[in-house]
């Protein structure tokens, strides 16, 4: 991944002149005063890791798997949120780990955690590095050093059980490679979040990821039937049957724990038969309210498409769902994408049923071209975010979820919070995931950078977090908690909930070495 941005540097692109002019005319965006720092200008702290620890780490995993060079440290500094990237573009490498360690097995991780607990070294589990909530920045207070525990060497498929439709993976396997291997068995996970090209399976589990095809395949945490976890106190083996009444499900403690309770070293995941047919289509609704009503009816009455997304009026007009055509203003109304994957008969049946309901509720069919165009560009939006940052805009995404009855109030509250704290921003939204009882809202905001864009966004983010909690939404539907949502998460779960989280942390990680400062209020 690009050290100061998203993805493949070869795919980065400058904004066309007409888009730059549009940003200037609409939002007052102007070119930044200072150019971004080059790789060689990033300021790194001197490694604080004690020499005896370095020696023992090398003994545990091999000299070649302990890296302290600038390249490794910079590329493991922070994640990919806008604040993360603004700091990197300013040459600020203050949060860099002292070393990057690449273990090769579960037993090596157990030994490494024991060593780090003994010497008070903080450990940040690192998968694809795609966190957008400050999930990869450990607190250094009262620690002798920080290491990034890169799981890239744990990248195998361990087994495929086509009878039970379960496959076992190591956590460092990236999503595209997992899909390629499963395709040889005519199988798929069906998990395609925007981070798909770079994220790892372990990261999906640790952050409770939800993919763009969640309406059809479910969230990633729905797919996890078992896992092996290394903790400073030993090994957890979780999950041994499709369902169980043997007490609370301890898998739920690890799912979404963001490396603060343990390091996932193996995952047993439900798989599906690879689809024979795929069709993506576009619809138009007169208003966001009308489109949401249609989505709710589909979610509650079925059948569901595999993909179901609805952009509000602003996002539809700007064309954010078509990053390559940004700046080409579309017709009024709201754009909906429906996607169907499965057997030929299944796809035909669901398309017909969904089309009948959408037409009945005021939807206008726009053919397959909008859906196919969305499918082709579904992973390109983060590149657009980088281009906008380079042009002098503050741009970030945030998401939440709520029950259907609360969704209009939640939508208004977030937009009002952003407009109250940013100078005349452009605020866009889409419904990205649906359930019978509610849905998620995914916002994108663009504003002109002021003299301190980091502080500018922190003010806006604090206001949004407060608005979400006050209006009954969850602080995160699929991005996770990290550091950015930690205080709001405490408000969401209440004081007793905070005590429970701290008690779990204290039992599994008594020395507090795992990702300190992340998740736990």
């Amino acid at each position: 991944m690009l050290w100061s941005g998203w993805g493949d540097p070869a795919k980065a692109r400058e904004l066309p002149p007409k888009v730059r002019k549009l940003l200037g005319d609409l939002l007052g965006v102007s070119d930044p005063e200072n150019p971004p720092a080059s790789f060689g200008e990033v300021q790194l702290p001197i490694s604080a890791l004690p020499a005896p620890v370095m020696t023992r780490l090398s003994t545990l995993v091999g000299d070649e798997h302990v890296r302290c060079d600038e390249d490794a440290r910079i590329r493991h500094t922070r994640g990919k949120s806008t604040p993360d990237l603004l700091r990197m573009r300013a040459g600020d490498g203050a949060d860099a780990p002292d070393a990057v360690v690449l273990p090769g097995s579960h037993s090596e991780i157990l030994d490494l955690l024991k060593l780090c607990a003994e010497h008070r070294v903080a450990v940040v589990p690192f998968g694809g590095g795609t966190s957008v909530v400050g999930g990869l920045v450990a607190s250094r207070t009262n620690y002798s050093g920080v290491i990034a525990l890169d799981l890239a060497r744990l990248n195998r498929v361990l087994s495929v059980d086509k009878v039970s439709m379960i496959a076992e993976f190591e956590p460092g396997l990236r999503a595209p490679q997992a899909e390629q291997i499963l395709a040889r068995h005519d199988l798929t996970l069906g998990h395609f979040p925007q981070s798909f090209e770079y994220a790892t399976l372990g990261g999906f589990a640790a952050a409770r990821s939800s993919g763009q095809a969640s309406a059809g395949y479910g969230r990633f945490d729905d797919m996890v039937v078992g896992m092996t976890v290394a903790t400073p106190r030993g090994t957890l083996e979780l999950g041994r049957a499709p369902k169980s009444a043997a007490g609370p499900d301890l898998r739920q403690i690890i799912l979404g724990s963001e490396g603060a309770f343990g390091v996932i070293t193996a995952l047993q995941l439900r798989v599906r038969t690879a689809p024979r047919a795929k069709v993506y289509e576009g619809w138009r609704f007169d208003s966001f309210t009308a489109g949401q009503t249609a989505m709710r009816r589909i979610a509650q009455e079925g059948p569901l498409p595999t993909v179901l997304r609805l952009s509000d009026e602003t996002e539809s007009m700007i064309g954010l769902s078509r990053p390559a055509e940004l700046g080409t203003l579309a017709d009024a109304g709201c754009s909906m994408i429906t996607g169907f994957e499965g057997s030929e008969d299944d796809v035909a049946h669901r398309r017909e049923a969904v089309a009948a309901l959408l037409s009945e509720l005021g939807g206008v069919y726009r053919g397959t071209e909008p859906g196919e165009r969305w499918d082709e560009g579904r992973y390109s939006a983060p590149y657009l975010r980088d281009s906008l940052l380079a042009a002098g805009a503050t741009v970030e995404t945030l998401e939440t979820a709520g029950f259907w009855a609360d969704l209009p109030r939640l939508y208004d509250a977030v937009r009002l919070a952003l407009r109250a704290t940013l100078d005349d921003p452009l605020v866009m939204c889409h419904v990205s995931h649906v359930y019978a009882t509610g849905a998620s809202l995914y916002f994108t905001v663009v504003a002109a950078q002021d003299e301190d864009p980091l502080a500018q966004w922190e003010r806006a983010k604090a206001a949004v977090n407060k608005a979400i909690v006050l209006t009954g939404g969850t602080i995160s539907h699929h991005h996770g908690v990290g550091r950015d949502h930690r205080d709001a998460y405490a408000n969401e779960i209440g004081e007793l909930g905070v005590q429970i989280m701290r008690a779990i942390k204290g039992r599994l990680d008594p020395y507090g070495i795992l990702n300190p400062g992340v998740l736990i209020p």
Side-chain angles (χ1 to χ4, degrees):
M1 287 253 276
L2 180 63
W3 65 275
S4 60
W6 182 264
D8 181 356
K11 295 182 179 179
R13 61 183 185 274
E14 289 191 5
L15 293 176
K18 69 174 182 178
V19 176
R20 284 181 172 269
K21 183 177 186 305
L22 184 65
L23 289 171
D25 293 344
L26 291 180
L27 304 176
V29 172
S30 58
D31 291 340
E33 292 185 6
N34 300 312
S38 66
F39 190 83
E41 293 173 328
V42 177
Q43 299 296 308
L44 295 177
I46 297 173
S47 178
L49 210 59
V53 175
M54 287 291 296
T55 300
R56 290 183 62 185
L57 284 172
S58 295
T59 301
L60 283 176
V61 303
D63 286 338
E64 68 273 27
H65 302 309
V66 179
R67 296 185 55 183
C68 299
D69 56 280
E70 288 189 358
D71 185 89
R73 293 180 68 198
I74 289 173
R75 294 185 188 281
H76 290 77
T77 301
R78 310 187 183 97
K80 298 299 181 183
S81 70
T82 288
D84 290 338
L85 299 188
L86 287 171
R87 289 185 173 97
M88 296 307 293
R89 291 170 63 86
D92 176 5
D95 295 320
D98 298 305
V100 179
V101 183
L102 293 93
S105 68
H106 174 84
S107 62
E108 286 184 3
I109 293 175
L110 284 176
D111 291 342
L112 185 150
L113 294 179
K114 181 178 179 181
L115 169 65
C116 290
E118 178 184 345
H119 290 271
R120 292 287 295 167
V121 175
V123 179
V124 181
F126 193 98
T130 61
S131 171
V132 292
V133 291
L136 299 175
V137 180
S139 170
R140 285 185 172 268
T141 305
N142 299 321
Y143 293 93
S144 63
V146 175
I147 66 169
L149 186 67
D150 192 321
L151 298 165
R153 292 177 63 208
L154 277 71
N155 62 356
R156 298 176 298 162
V157 175
L158 301 176
S159 65
V160 176
D161 176 359
K162 292 194 72 171
V163 174
S164 304
M165 293 296 278
I166 294 170
E168 185 172 15
F169 304 87
E170 289 184 325
L173 189 65
R174 294 187 186 274
Q177 284 68 51
E179 286 295 331
Q180 289 170 9
I181 293 168
L182 287 175
R184 300 170 196 161
H185 300 272
D186 196 31
L187 298 171
T188 183
L189 284 170
H191 190 69
F192 305 105
Q194 200 166 73
S195 61
F196 171 79
E197 295 173 302
Y198 297 95
T200 62
L201 302 186
F204 289 153
R208 285 192 186 274
S209 175
S210 191
Q212 295 171 332
S214 66
Y217 293 105
R219 293 165 55 95
F220 195 80
D221 46 0
D222 298 329
M223 303 175 189
V224 178
V225 298
M227 62 176 73
T228 304
V229 185
T231 81
R233 294 294 299 269
T235 299
L236 281 171
E237 295 280 1
L238 304 174
R240 56 171 57 198
K243 294 291 181 181
S244 172
D249 186 351
L250 295 183
R251 289 173 298 181
Q252 301 302 322
I253 291 175
I254 302 301
L255 292 168
S257 64
E258 302 180 30
F261 294 156
V263 180
I264 298 168
T265 58
L267 286 162
Q268 296 83 47
L269 302 176
R270 180 206 70 205
V271 294
R272 302 284 185 89
T273 300
R276 296 288 187 272
K278 294 183 180 182
V279 179
Y280 295 90
E281 302 175 303
W283 290 79
R284 179 193 170 281
F285 282 84
D286 286 341
S287 69
F288 200 39
T289 299
Q292 285 186 57
T293 298
M295 296 182 98
R296 177 177 60 79
R297 289 278 301 275
I298 292 174
Q300 292 173 345
E301 300 173 17
L304 268 170
T306 309
V307 173
L308 183 59
R309 300 165 66 87
L310 174 72
S311 295
D312 72 0
E313 289 87 347
T314 305
E315 185 172 290
S316 299
M317 179 183 67
I318 296 297
L320 195 67
S321 61
R322 309 183 304 279
E325 301 173 31
L326 189 71
T328 303
L329 300 184
D331 296 335
C334 293
S335 300
M336 176 183 285
I337 299 297
T338 57
F340 302 87
E341 299 183 8
S343 68
E344 296 280 359
D345 289 345
D346 172 61
V347 166
H349 165 70
R350 286 189 291 142
R351 281 185 72 193
E352 182 180 0
V354 168
L357 183 55
L358 293 181
S359 297
E360 174 190 332
L361 295 173
V364 177
Y365 183 62
R366 303 183 67 185
T368 59
E369 191 272 338
E372 292 168 354
R373 187 171 51 193
W374 171 83
D375 183 41
E376 291 171 1
R378 67 198 299 182
Y379 305 126
S380 61
Y383 292 101
L384 174 60
R385 186 268 305 265
D386 290 357
S387 300
L388 288 166
L389 284 176
T394 290
V395 54
E396 185 58 299
T397 62
L398 56 94
E399 43 81 25
T400 180
F403 298 119
W404 286 113
D406 300 328
L407 223 55
R409 190 163 62 106
L410 185 58
Y411 173 70
D412 288 341
V414 171
R415 291 194 301 160
L416 286 171
L418 289 168
R419 288 171 177 158
T421 50
L422 296 171
D423 184 16
D424 196 24
L426 179 68
V427 183
M428 298 164 278
C429 180
H430 63 262
V431 177
S432 56
H433 306 272
V434 299
Y435 309 93
T437 54
S440 71
L441 295 173
Y442 192 102
F443 293 86
T444 302
V445 58
V446 184
Q449 290 182 12
D450 66 12
E451 66 279 0
D452 187 348
L454 274 170
Q456 176 191 30
W457 178 248
E458 286 171 357
R459 291 191 300 271
K461 183 68 171 176
V464 168
N465 287 352
K466 182 177 180 180
I468 288 173
V469 172
L470 288 176
T471 50
T474 180
I475 197 61
S476 176
H477 173 265
H478 56 270
H479 282 170
V481 175
R483 297 168 71 91
D484 296 354
H485 295 154
R486 185 183 58 204
D487 294 342
Y489 176 57
N491 291 329
E492 184 171 325
I493 64 177
E495 180 57 33
L496 183 56
V498 169
Q499 292 173 18
I500 292 170
M501 293 292 290
R502 290 175 178 170
I504 295 171
K505 175 74 169 176
R507 188 63 180 173
L508 294 176
D509 180 22
Y511 297 96
I513 63 167
L514 285 168
N515 224 357
V518 168
L519 180 68
I520 310 300

